[in-house]
């Protein structure tokens, strides 16, 4: 069997950094990255013959676990009828109708191929509809690698210390205003300074890219009020939270309805799908009926749509949200007790089945709090967990995800490993 080390040596000859997405490089946890051979249920298996309980779950899509038979069968069956037509299919209507029926703020939806495409398109639509150029994002939030978003961004951009990426022009960056998460005054101040210039506020309603940060009670309703008062659109980037924290995402969970919603990850069941949707009056401004252009060769791809329908169908039938929340709380409470008994300062933020353990004293309710976390301690904890067969996200500034495939014994194994890893400093 070719080892991960050997594969990495080969990969860097033809792929930048040996990976197709930077966060996979394990750079911030000073570990050799693992090449994965296969995965099933709650487990992932590397090319070195080791298996792990997976808390990354492909960064969020796999709420039903790896290789769920319903998803796999749907994709295989769809492939037998062709992999792409570049023409509309009935199944795209079926998936669109499911999304519209589940997500409160979506009356019409456009399928794309990634979360980045969804957020880029939603912001272009907001600019096109309002005739305004500027957008507000929040420091530490990540909305994909579109130029407008790589300004004080989270996820890998934060992990690798490049929150504002080279290659983003000054012209683009000047139209991206940055506010502080959970700080409504910082948002109001930007509207006061730029009256009638701001097309939208885009926010992760539950931040998942600077670790997990939960919105303060008044934060989301406050954003709804401020955007309405100032003629700007409110965009909820629910690429992580969509279908994750409830069937209707964060907008259902917190009862705040945005003008536009972006989706990804779970919606494709692990295949490349993104989507953006909102009020019909806004979405009808998109080509071919409206002037705002957005397109995609593989948008609504039959295989990805089949996976999405199978995923949402199963979530509707099984409604696993209550049991996922119980599992997640058990893990979070267990980790809190372990850290307390070990005398280690941690703050664990958890919403439904997404969580993050910050190696810093809480509360962590802002980017400023989050970046105080001890990333060196996190790296040592990560390595010790990996050595014990637990695959955590290779960055302090990412979320961990529980799926329906994680069993009680999986959670016990994670806690047992954490007990050893917490003392390993
Ligand atoms: P993609 O283009 O990676 O499908 O989605 C971009 C995106 C948009 N919005 C939110 C809230 C997101 O979290 C993401 C992508 N998330 C990261 C992990 N936090 C993807 C992992 C990676 O970059 O490899």
């Amino acid at each position: 069997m070719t080892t991960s080390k050997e594969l990495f040596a080969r990969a860097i000859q033809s792929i930048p950094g040996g990976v197709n997405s930077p966060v996979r490089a394990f750079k911030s946890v000073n570990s050799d990255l693992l090449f994965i051979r296969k995965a099933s249920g709650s487990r992932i298996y590397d090319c070195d013959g080791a298996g792990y309980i997976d808390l990354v779950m492909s960064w969020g899509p796999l709420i039903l676990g790896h290789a769920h038979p319903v998803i796999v069968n749907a994709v295989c069956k769809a492939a037998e009828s062709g992999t792409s037509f570049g023409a509309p299919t009935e199944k795209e209507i079926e998936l669109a109708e499911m999304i519209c029926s589940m997500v409160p703020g979506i009356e019409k939806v456009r399928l794309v191929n990634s979360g980045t495409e969804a957020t880029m398109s939603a912001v272009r639509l907001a600019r096109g509809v309002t005739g305004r150029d500027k957008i507000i994002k929040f420091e530490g939030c990540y909305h994909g690698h579109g130029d407008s978003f790589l300004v004080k961004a989270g996820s890998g951009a934060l992990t690798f210390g490049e929150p504002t990426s080279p290659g983003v022009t000054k012209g683009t960056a000047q139209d991206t205003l940055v506010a502080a998460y959970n700080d409504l005054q910082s948002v109001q101040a930007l509207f006061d300074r730029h009256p009638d210039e701001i097309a939208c506020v885009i926010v992760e309603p539950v931040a998942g890219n600077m670790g997990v940060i939960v919105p303060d009670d008044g934060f989301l309703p406050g954003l709804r009020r401020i955007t309405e008062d100032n003629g700007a659109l409110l965009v909820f980037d629910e690429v992580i939270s969509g279908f994750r924290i409830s069937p209707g995402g964060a907008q259902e969970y917190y009862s705040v309805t945005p003008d536009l919603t972006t989706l990804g990850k779970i919606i494709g069941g692990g295949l490349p799908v993104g989507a953006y949707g909102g009020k019909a009056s806004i979405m009808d401004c998109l080509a071919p009926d409206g002037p705002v252009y957005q397109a995609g060769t593989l948008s609504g791809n039959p295989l990805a749509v089949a996976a999405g329908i199978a995923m949402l169908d199963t979530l509707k039938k099984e409604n696993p949200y209550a049991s996922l929340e119980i599992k997640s709380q058990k893990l979070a409470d267990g980790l809190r007790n372990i850290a307390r008994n070990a005398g280690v300062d941690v703050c664990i933020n958890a919403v439904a089945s997404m969580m993050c353990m910050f190696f810093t004293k809480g509360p962590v309710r802002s980017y400023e709090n989050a970046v105080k976390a001890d990333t060196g301690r996190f790296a040592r904890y990560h390595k010790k967990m990996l050595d014990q067969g637990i695959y955590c996200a290779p960055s302090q500034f990412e979320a961990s995800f529980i799926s329906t495939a994680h069993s009680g014994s999986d959670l016990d194994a994670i806690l047992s490993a954490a007990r050893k890893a917490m003392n390993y400093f």
Side-chain angles (χ1 to χ4, degrees):
M1 189 188 295
T2 312
T3 65
S4 291
K5 255 191 178 26
E6 289 161 344
L7 290 169
F8 181 63
R10 189 173 137 211
I12 54 177
Q13 305 303 319
S14 55
I15 304 171
V19 291
N20 282 310
S21 195
V23 284
R24 303 174 187 174
F26 272 45
K27 276 209 181 314
S28 71
V29 290
N30 315 315
S31 272
D32 295 333
L33 81 168
L34 300 174
F35 278 71
I36 301 303
R37 182 166 52 88
K38 68 170 186 172
S40 173
S42 61
R43 278 170 170 68
I44 197 163
Y45 301 89
D46 68 19
C47 294
D48 310 283
Y52 307 83
I53 296 172
D54 185 4
L55 287 172
V56 180
M57 302 309 280
S58 184
W59 307 94
L62 305 176
I63 194 169
L64 298 177
H66 288 282
H68 190 288
V70 169
I71 308 271
V72 172
N73 295 338
V75 172
C76 293
K77 189 163 179 304
E80 289 165 7
S81 303
T83 54
S84 179
F85 313 119
T89 63
E90 183 182 355
K91 289 295 183 188
E92 289 165 76
I93 307 170
E94 187 179 336
L95 181 55
E97 289 170 345
M98 291 174 90
I99 295 165
C100 293
S101 71
M102 292 172 81
V103 184
I106 296 185
E107 294 174 350
K108 285 195 175 181
V109 63
R110 174 62 63 84
L111 297 178
V112 292
N113 299 284
S114 70
T116 295
E117 248 195 288
T119 55
M120 280 168 57
S121 309
V123 159
R124 181 183 310 130
L125 178 57
R127 286 172 160 150
V129 165
T130 61
R132 299 176 178 183
D133 292 344
K134 294 192 184 309
I135 68 169
I136 292 176
K137 75 174 288 288
F138 293 86
E139 188 166 24
C141 283
Y142 179 74
H143 304 291
H145 64 88
D147 281 4
S148 294
F149 307 124
L150 290 182
V151 177
K152 295 194 177 180
S155 187
L158 173 56
T159 298
F160 299 126
E162 292 284 359
T164 301
S165 173
V168 175
T169 66
K170 288 189 183 58
T172 301
Q174 73 184 11
D175 283 335
T176 299
L177 307 174
V178 182
Y181 198 82
N182 275 331
D183 178 349
L184 289 171
Q185 278 184 329
S186 71
V187 179
Q188 186 59 56
L190 290 171
F191 276 102
D192 294 344
R193 204 173 311 138
H194 300 277
D196 304 326
E197 293 180 66
I198 298 167
C200 68
V201 173
I202 183 167
V203 66
E204 292 179 59
V206 175
N209 286 291
M210 42 179 155
V212 174
I213 294 190
V214 182
D216 288 349
D217 286 348
F219 182 56
L220 299 179
L223 291 181
R224 182 64 284 180
R225 174 179 46 74
I226 292 173
T227 46
E228 269 165 3
D229 291 351
N230 290 276
L233 300 188
L234 179 58
V235 183
F236 272 11
D237 179 355
E238 297 226 42
V239 167
I240 287 183
S241 56
F243 311 108
R244 165 65 59 182
I245 67 174
S246 89
Q251 56 196 270
E252 179 180 79
Y253 197 86
Y254 294 105
S255 306
V256 175
T257 304
D259 299 297
L260 289 173
T261 301
T262 59
L263 298 164
K265 295 184 191 276
I266 287 175
I267 192 175
L271 271 74
V273 182
Y276 64 109
K279 293 173 181 150
S281 58
I282 297 174
M283 295 302 289
D284 286 342
C285 296
L286 283 170
D289 293 346
V292 180
Y293 196 71
Q294 173 267 317
T297 304
L298 298 176
S299 295
N301 172 274
L303 275 60
V305 166
I309 291 169
M311 170 64 83
L312 298 191
D313 227 12
T314 306
L315 288 174
K316 285 168 73 171
K317 279 191 192 121
E318 294 183 2
N319 191 7
Y321 294 95
S323 62
L324 280 170
E325 185 130 12
I326 290 165
K327 279 199 253 189
S328 185
Q329 277 310 328
K330 175 187 171 191
L331 184 58
D333 293 343
L335 289 169
R336 287 189 188 99
N337 290 336
I338 289 167
R340 190 181 312 113
N341 295 340
V344 176
D345 282 339
V346 300
C347 172
I348 297 177
N349 290 344
V351 176
S353 54
M354 60 188 279
M355 75 173 74
C356 175
M357 177 161 70
F358 293 94
F359 280 85
T360 183
K361 227 169 143 45
V364 177
R365 49 176 296 283
S366 69
Y367 172 80
E368 199 186 341
N369 297 156
V371 293
K372 288 200 176 92
D374 183 340
T375 51
R377 278 202 119 155
F378 174 83
R380 292 191 293 276
Y381 170 82
H382 182 274
K383 176 90 178 72
K384 196 62 184 169
M385 291 295 273
L386 205 60
D387 292 348
Q388 298 177 88
I390 313 298
Y391 189 84
C392 302
S395 161
Q396 169 68 93
F397 305 115
E398 294 289 354
S400 293
F401 299 100
I402 295 289
S403 78
T404 55
H406 286 85
S407 63
S409 56
D410 286 338
L411 301 185
D412 293 341
I414 295 165
L415 292 173
S416 161
R419 212 163 278 115
K420 297 190 186 77
M422 204 65 82
N423 290 315
Y424 170 75
F425 288 108

